[in-house]
Amino acid sequence: MSETGLDAVPRLSIIVPVFRVQGFLRACMDSVLAQEFTDFELIAVDDCSPDHSGAILDEYAARDDRVQVLHLPQNAGLGPARNAGLEKVRGDYVLFLDSDDTLVPGALGALADRLAATGDPEILIFDYARAYWDGATRRNALSGLLDESGAPAFSLAERPQLLDLLQIVWNKAYRRDFVEEHGFTFPPGYYEDAPWTFCTLITARRIAVLDRVCLHYRQRRQGGNILRTTSRQHFDVFDQYARVFAYLDAHPELSRWRPHMFRKMIDHYLTVLDKPGRLPRNATAEFFHRAARDYRLRIPAGFVRPLGVAGGKYALLAKDAYPALAGLKAAGKVQRTVRKHAGKRVRQAKRKALDLRYQALLRQPLDENLAVYSAYWNRRPACNPLAVHEKAKELAPGIHGVWVVKKQLAEAGEIPAGVDHVVLNSPRYWEVMARAKYLVNNVNFADGVVKREGQIHLQTHHGTPLKSMGTDQKRYPAAAKGMSFRKLLARADRWDFSLSANQHTTEQWERVYPCDFESLNAGYPRNDVYYRATAQDVLDIRARLGIAPGRTAVLYAPTMRDYQVGYVPRLDLEKISRELGEGVQDFVLLVRTHYFYDQDPRLQALQERGALIDVSGHPVVEELCLAADALVTDYSSIMFDYANLDRPIITYADDWDTYVRSRGVTFDLLSGRPGDTPGTIVTSEDELIETFRSGRWDDERATGLRAAFRARFCQWDDGHAAERVVRRVFLGQEAAPAPLPPAERTVAPSPRAAAAGSAPGGLPRQGSRLPAQRDSSPAEEALSEEAPSAEAPDIGLVG
């Protein structure tokens, strides 16, 4: 809460316009609300964003009364969105913060101190740094203009070089009464910052500077910046400078600034012309002629052109000599080509390394009815890709699916009968990769695969991320294991669709894979089975696993540790089995360990004695979940899938602090807050045993935590995820049907309910047994969690 109370005027008002930034919005909001200086209000303007941004803003407003959210009824654009915020501000000063940028710690306090020290100027200019996806930051190159020596406050006439700073609004604090007195507002269209910035600066009588980086200006790899889009809307720049000169016409006392504004205008026009990809090719000449007209119309008397190449371009505009400018740009292109010659030779060498036959195949037409699938680095059909494949056979039967598999699996006959497959790197492999319309994987295809225009790549992923992923792993070398993040993002650049099961995951993928894909919020197809299985399915699975009737089956499924070499058992399974087996209830452990551990003769001996059931080699993990009365895991993503079943989850977290330091996490699993913690938390073997003997594993508190966890992370899982995916990706339709409300979802009955015959049966069974959603050996399960470095140090991999 503000230090001055709800009815008092805050010192600062921060306006945040929001549109399609759900992957970055929380970082932006947190950077403001975590400031030590608290005397501010934050006005967030949801510009009718089509993603989840508006709901995220409402979350923040619900828990912090400094946040006010405006939801615009239709998309208005950046300028009008800022205007909507201006109508609501109450603070002494107004700041603007773009919703993918962040304030640095201590920024607001530094701004407040400088405003006080300089006697409340009309404008305070502060510095910023560009923040790149790889973690690098680079301070504004013109930061020297913000030297604080000299008079605390001054007029622009005393330091006109400040006009050379980037014409942006978010590196300045504006006194509200100054803005209101002169009626400053933002125009619509591109380059809306130019008229606001120039008109406020030349009008202000007292300006101050702060030589400190207060803001990180996010540099997106792709998308998110209108200046990088090819569009005729770049012609809006003419309207923006028309507004600047109209303001000068209305204020003759500011006529001294005409030469400065003319220079800024022409420099801006030339920037648009020079930047590749802004103007459509057929619009460049038109833009030039418009710029030349403005040049002749607005050139001040006695204007002296700059020297050098820039002056030459001014002269060409003065003469409206577009062919000459085109020739000048061509000469510059030659020079740049010479400078890049060495790099080009390297790229040519790489292209030559590609198989010539593959190059020829890439020139053949795409097969519109061919889909290529792969899972876990070309292992057996499994996971989300398999569920999508099965549903595609039903809804899009004309599309033929082919699986990419390793040679040893094919030679061993481990591929299910009837599944068309190709061996990795075989001649047919390169043919299908070159010609398939659809590419589906839960990791990534090899770097040598070329993504052709017209191909559609669906990245299904294989888990909800608790641990840090993607570019976040740069902060955790033990987790990154020498990963090339440049190559990682080059692979992610090939994605057209990124599948997600919940909003948390969507926001993570969009943030840590800064690429131009569409988030497909459909749920995980592999989890559909939890809503199709019947009571008889559950009983049949338990019988096949050897679980005696009446026993309470506890599935123990831990994940790997990045900070350890090899696998180190974290539980004394003999002790656990003995203690639980002698408890009030007759428990049996189903142990699914890392593949190193399943070779331990002690585990074999325990199974032979009936103390536990070793299911590490069971091919379908979904069947294990259906058979289990409860799950014990640590940080494995299996918890998010198992939560669909609404059965007890016990988190065994004996090394949480070490795990967080070595790997990083996306939320605090052990916080105990609803939505974060799936159930009972234990940190020792004795505590685990006590939890089951006392009944805490399934008491009222655990049930409440589980419900909140399920609501958050099983958001779009309802048994129809595969259908939504196939309709959107293969059929080009809407991702339908819409996810069922949680109250209307029918999940498979628990083993106890199935045995009692009292639970709803779920949807009808299809076939004699449930289809395998994840079909992998123990070794393959391990490799689903750590990318094989020889193939592709891949996407951080949830497991």
Side-chain angles (χ1 to χ4, degrees):
M1 182 177 291
S2 169
E3 293 174 345
T4 55
L6 289 176
D7 297 327
V9 173
R11 181 60 167 163
L12 305 175
S13 293
I14 304 168
I15 296 175
V16 181
V18 176
F19 182 77
R20 197 172 284 169
V21 287
Q22 62 182 357
F24 305 102
L25 183 54
R26 293 184 189 276
C28 173
M29 299 290 287
D30 291 341
S31 77
V32 179
L33 299 176
Q35 295 282 316
E36 291 184 5
F37 180 89
T38 60
D39 189 12
F40 65 84
E41 64 176 358
L42 192 162
I43 299 173
V45 184
D46 170 22
D47 192 15
C48 200
S49 185
D51 62 5
H52 199 69
S53 295
I56 293 173
L57 294 178
D58 289 339
E59 288 179 29
Y60 279 87
R63 62 176 182 256
D64 195 315
D65 57 21
R66 295 172 297 179
V67 179
Q68 179 182 172
V69 180
L70 304 179
H71 294 284
L72 301 188
Q74 59 186 16
N75 180 246
L78 184 56
R82 287 172 174 160
N83 291 338
L86 280 171
E87 294 177 1
K88 300 294 183 180
V89 296
R90 300 180 299 121
D92 296 329
Y93 279 85
V94 180
L95 291 92
F96 300 94
L97 177 63
D98 285 355
S99 49
D100 55 352
D101 297 338
T102 55
L103 295 181
V104 302
L108 295 186
L111 289 171
D113 290 345
R114 187 61 178 166
L115 288 170
T118 54
D120 283 4
E122 286 138 318
I123 300 175
L124 172 65
I125 306 173
F126 52 89
D127 206 7
Y128 64 92
R130 286 177 166 84
Y132 297 85
W133 66 264
D134 61 359
T137 57
R138 186 176 303 138
R139 190 171 183 178
N140 166 32
L142 298 178
S143 59
L145 297 179
L146 300 178
D147 182 10
E148 295 179 13
S149 63
F154 48 83
S155 68
L156 185 64
E158 297 172 72
R159 294 175 68 168
Q161 63 270 29
L162 290 173
L163 288 173
D164 291 332
L165 293 169
L166 195 63
Q167 57 262 34
I168 47 178
V169 303
W170 42 253
N171 69 335
K172 303 173 184 72
Y174 303 89
R175 209 171 67 207
R176 179 167 60 92
D177 60 3
F178 165 69
V179 172
E180 293 174 347
E181 176 188 354
H182 296 279
F184 293 123
T185 58
F186 290 91
Y190 283 16
Y191 307 107
E192 75 294 327
D193 281 9
W196 173 286
T197 300
F198 292 136
C199 294
T200 56
L201 284 174
I202 64 178
T203 302
R205 292 180 293 274
R206 299 180 68 253
I207 299 171
V209 295
L210 173 60
D211 185 12
R212 171 181 170 140
V213 170
C214 294
L215 180 145
H216 279 169
Y217 174 28
R218 187 184 298 276
Q219 303 298 289
R220 301 264 200 110
R221 286 184 67 253
Q222 297 180 355
N225 189 333
I226 62 173
L227 301 185
R228 297 178 185 174
T229 59
T230 300
S231 170
R232 284 189 60 86
Q233 284 192 266
H234 291 286
F235 279 74
D236 289 351
V237 72
F238 297 116
D239 294 332
Q240 307 301 13
Y241 281 95
R243 293 181 172 98
V244 173
F245 281 90
Y247 187 81
L248 288 171
D249 291 340
H251 296 83
E253 71 277 9
L254 301 175
S255 60
R256 63 170 296 171
W257 296 109
R258 283 184 180 274
H260 295 273
M261 294 299 98
F262 178 79
R263 178 173 61 87
K264 299 306 296 183
M265 177 186 74
I266 298 304
D267 286 348
H268 203 159
Y269 291 175
L270 290 173
T271 297
V272 175
L273 281 166
D274 287 343
K275 292 293 184 182
R278 289 199 186 182
L279 296 169
R281 290 185 178 181
N282 60 1
T284 304
E286 179 188 351
F287 188 97
F288 182 89
H289 296 313
R290 287 277 303 274
R293 185 184 67 183
D294 279 6
Y295 189 106
R296 296 190 300 271
L297 176 66
R298 297 187 177 126
I299 183 170
F303 180 78
V304 178
R305 293 195 296 265
L307 301 176
V309 175
K313 293 180 179 179
Y314 272 58
L316 294 177
L317 272 179
K319 298 175 182 178
D320 198 6
Y322 176 69
L325 178 69
L328 184 64
K329 292 178 69 175
K333 183 177 181 181
V334 170
Q335 291 179 344
R336 290 192 297 273
T337 300
V338 171
R339 288 195 299 268
K340 295 179 180 178
H341 186 62
K344 185 176 181 180
R345 291 184 63 182
V346 171
R347 291 192 295 273
Q348 287 175 339
K350 289 182 178 180
R351 283 197 295 269
K352 288 181 180 178
L354 287 174
D355 183 82
L356 293 178
R357 182 172 181 272
Y358 183 47
Q359 291 285 347
L361 289 167
L362 290 172
R363 293 191 290 271
Q364 294 186 13
L366 289 176
D367 186 338
E368 300 289 327
N369 295 312
L370 178 62
V372 174
Y373 297 89
S374 180
Y376 299 123
W377 300 278
N378 310 306
R379 288 170 170 77
R380 287 181 291 182
C383 192
N384 291 317
L386 179 58
V388 172
H389 181 208
E390 295 295 333
K391 184 58 67 171
K393 289 193 296 185
E394 174 188 337
L395 299 180
I399 296 176
H400 179 67
V402 177
W403 282 83
V404 179
V405 299
K406 288 179 173 295
K407 183 178 181 179
Q408 56 267 40
L409 292 175
E411 290 178 345
E414 294 191 30
I415 309 305
V419 174
D420 191 5
H421 59 277
V422 295
V423 171
L424 181 66
N425 290 326
S426 67
R428 190 181 175 218
Y429 163 79
W430 290 109
E431 179 180 355
V432 297
M433 294 306 301
R435 300 200 57 201
K437 173 73 172 182
Y438 306 97
L439 305 174
V440 182
N441 207 334
N442 69 352
V443 283
N444 266 317
F445 291 102
D447 292 345
V449 171
V450 175
K451 168 71 181 303
R452 295 178 59 182
E453 183 177 357
Q455 284 185 319
I456 298 175
H457 188 326
L458 168 64
Q459 170 57 257
T460 73
H461 304 279
H462 55 278
T464 290
L466 167 63
K467 57 191 176 188
S468 65
M469 303 284 290
T471 55
D472 275 358
Q473 289 179 258
K474 288 182 68 67
R475 302 196 299 270
Y476 303 96
K481 298 178 181 176
M483 179 186 300
S484 167
F485 289 91
R486 180 185 59 81
K487 291 182 179 180
L488 165 68
L489 294 181
R491 292 190 288 272
D493 282 337
R494 300 183 297 200
W495 306 347
D496 293 290
F497 296 96
S498 170
L499 184 60
S500 177
N502 50 68
Q503 183 61 31
H504 167 81
T505 300
T506 297
E507 293 176 26
Q508 291 297 318
W509 294 160
E510 292 190 8
R511 184 176 59 81
V512 303
Y513 301 116
C515 305
D516 193 20
F517 53 76
E518 175 185 326
S519 292
L520 182 49
N521 300 330
Y524 273 162
R526 71 184 184 191
N527 291 338
D528 286 352
V529 65
Y530 297 135
Y531 297 88
R532 293 203 311 267
T534 66
Q536 191 59 50
D537 289 325
V538 172
L539 297 177
D540 289 347
I541 294 168
R542 286 170 65 90
R544 289 199 301 272
L545 292 173
I547 303 172
R551 301 195 75 180
T552 299
V554 177
L555 174 62
Y556 173 52
T559 189
M560 60 166 297
R561 299 298 192 276
D562 295 293
Y563 65 87
Q564 293 176 339
V565 177
Y567 177 73
V568 178
R570 311 207 67 85
L571 283 176
D572 181 342
L573 295 176
E574 181 175 13
K575 174 182 177 182
I576 299 296
S577 298
R578 181 180 64 253
E579 294 292 335
L580 293 186
E582 296 173 355
V584 176
Q585 290 181 288
D586 192 5
F587 287 92
V588 60
L589 279 184
L590 309 179
V591 181
R592 189 175 184 82
T593 68
H594 189 281
Y595 72 103
F596 287 154
Y597 194 63
D598 74 353
Q599 298 170 353
D600 192 317
R602 291 174 299 176
L603 188 62
Q604 305 289 335
L606 288 172
Q607 176 165 263
E608 291 173 2
R609 285 163 37 196
L612 54 76
I613 301 175
D614 179 12
V615 293
S616 299
H618 192 78
V620 187
V621 74
E622 284 78 14
E623 289 191 350
L624 302 180
C625 291
L626 286 166
D629 294 271
L631 171 70
V632 175
T633 186
D634 38 28
Y635 322 122
S636 171
S637 64
I638 193 174
M639 73 178 85
F640 302 101
D641 298 334
Y642 191 80
N644 281 281
L645 292 168
D646 195 21
R647 301 178 192 174
I649 300 173
I650 299 88
T651 302
Y652 181 65
D654 64 323
D655 64 339
W656 173 251
D657 290 341
T658 303
Y659 187 84
V660 170
R661 289 194 302 270
S662 64
R663 177 68 203 223
V665 294
T666 60
F667 66 94
D668 187 355
L669 180 71
L670 272 57
S671 73
R673 293 187 296 266
D676 283 357
T677 302
T680 305
I681 301 292
V682 298
T683 58
S684 69
E685 292 176 347
D686 290 340
E687 191 178 5
L688 177 63
I689 294 167
E690 187 278 333
T691 292
F692 279 104
R693 286 188 163 183
S694 67
R696 282 200 306 121
W697 65 288
D698 194 19
D699 62 12
E700 184 177 350
R701 182 175 185 276
T703 300
L705 288 171
R706 183 170 73 247
F709 191 83
R710 185 184 185 211
R712 179 181 179 187
F713 292 110
C714 304
Q715 188 174 357
W716 300 313
D717 284 333
D718 65 350
H720 300 284
E723 179 178 356
R724 284 189 283 273
V725 171
V726 171
R727 291 193 183 280
R728 180 69 186 95
V729 176
F730 292 89
L731 301 179
Q733 302 171 355
E734 292 296 321
L740 289 169
E744 298 178 17
R745 301 176 191 177
T746 302
V747 72
S750 69
R752 196 173 305 169
S758 61
L763 299 179
R765 295 178 61 188
Q766 299 177 5
S768 60
R769 65 184 296 272
L770 291 172
Q773 296 297 311
R774 196 183 302 174
D775 188 5
S776 52
S777 69
E780 292 159 9
E781 279 296 306
L783 285 167
S784 76
E785 297 177 339
E786 53 182 3
S789 57
E791 296 178 0
D794 215 12
I795 56 176
L797 306 180
V798 176

